[in-house]
Amino acid sequence: METISVFSDTESLSQAIADHIIEKAKQAVSIKECFSVVLAGGSTPKEPYRLLASKDYADQVDWSKVHIFWGDERCVPPNDSDSNYRMARETFINKLPIPTSNIYRIEGERKPSDAARYYQERLKEFFVGKPQFDLILLGMGEDGHTASLFPGTEALLNTKDWVTANYIEKISTWRITLTPQVINQAGNIIFIVSGEKKAETLYKVLQGEYRPDLYPSQLIKPTQGILNWYIDKLAAKQLNLK
Ligand code: 6PG
């Protein structure tokens, strides 16, 4: 199942995302005393993350039961300004009582292949059997990438691993990313897309020809879960919404 929700501005988009995360966390914790969430990097999630640590949200969840993962990471140390871990730590993680043992950082400072293998080992320890995250947050780049699944890269075709090191020719850098098959096993996936610069790509991803080699976000199709697109009016400009 897939839904598209359009919001008039960044503030209402961010609040809706924070509300959704809290709702999923409360549901999962009440049912199984555990909530596994995969964070997106980049800039769009910053405001929703900040809201999670604000007084209107922070007290709604037993954070000791929340397990934090990342969908991808840049191959940099944890204090690097490009680190997705650092962004999440500074926007909300270090403001909430989340046990350190519940934080599953991708160790971007390692050799890429080692970082991918080590993170995959930790995921396999966490999940008995299939990697079924409760919630995965994803952003979308202007080129249609998501996580670190970039157009024309090897990771798009990786059906063997849960995590892989992916060389991105366009930006001459290595990234560590979950593979599409792992993302698609999540119970709930949220894409967060805002800004007019993404309008054309979002149209192509959602309503254009199926070309996942060019638009990897099209690979995201949950096998059994729900996919919610949370987008602002500017990013939705070219969509034909009924
Ligand atoms: C990353 C992200 C990446 C991001 C998109 C959108 O590591 O950069 O995981 O997939 O979500 O590039 O980024 P913005 O939110 O900054 O537009």
Side-chain angles (χ1 to χ4, degrees), residues 40-45 72 74 84 138-141 145-148 175 198:
S43 55
T44 309
D72 71 318
R74 292 84 182 275
N84 289 335
L138 294 173
M140 186 195 78
H145 82 262
T146 189
S148 282
R175 292 280 192 94
K198 297 188 181 174

Side-chain angles (χ1 to χ4, degrees), residues 12 38 53 67 136 144 185:
S12 56
V38 174
H67 295 258
I136 296 186
Q185 291 180 63

Side-chain angles (χ1 to χ4, degrees), residues 17 50 53 60 78 183 190:
I17 292 160
R50 285 193 191 97
Q60 295 189 44
I183 296 172
I190 303 184

Side-chain angles (χ1 to χ4, degrees), residues 51-197:
L51 285 174
L52 293 178
S54 70
K55 65 178 175 41
D56 294 344
Y57 291 87
D59 299 340
Q60 295 189 44
V61 175
D62 177 354
W63 295 99
S64 71
K65 304 287 193 307
V66 176
H67 295 258
I68 306 265
F69 302 82
W70 279 260
D72 71 318
E73 185 57 277
R74 292 84 182 275
C75 288
V76 295
N79 286 325
D80 191 290
S81 57
D82 278 348
S83 164
N84 289 335
Y85 162 78
R86 176 176 166 182
M87 183 273 276
R89 189 189 68 213
E90 292 179 346
T91 47
F92 80 106
I93 291 174
N94 65 5
K95 299 177 174 72
L96 292 169
I98 303 171
T100 309
S101 57
N102 288 19
I103 308 289
Y104 300 78
R105 181 175 71 85
I106 301 174
E107 298 184 351
E109 67 277 20
R110 288 174 179 251
K111 198 172 90 179
S113 56
D114 290 344
R117 186 175 62 252
Y118 183 68
Y119 187 52
Q120 180 167 283
E121 284 167 4
R122 296 198 69 195
L123 298 188
K124 291 197 172 193
E125 287 164 10
F126 181 82
F127 289 107
V128 179
K130 283 184 177 181
Q132 292 179 312
F133 290 102
D134 294 312
L135 175 62
I136 296 186
L137 305 173
L138 294 173
M140 186 195 78
E142 290 176 44
D143 61 357
H145 82 262
T146 189
S148 282
L149 302 167
F150 282 79
T153 59
E154 282 184 22
L156 304 188
L157 307 172
N158 187 323
T159 55
K160 178 171 71 72
D161 300 310
W162 290 13
V163 183
T164 190
N166 196 28
Y167 187 69
I168 322 297
E169 193 79 41
K170 183 173 78 171
I171 49 177
S172 310
T173 187
W174 284 92
R175 292 280 192 94
I176 311 300
T177 187
L178 292 181
T179 54
Q181 57 140 341
V182 167
I183 296 172
N184 286 332
Q185 291 180 63
N188 187 196
I189 303 169
I190 303 184
F191 261 107
I192 312 167
V193 187
S194 71
E196 188 160 9
K197 287 181 182 172

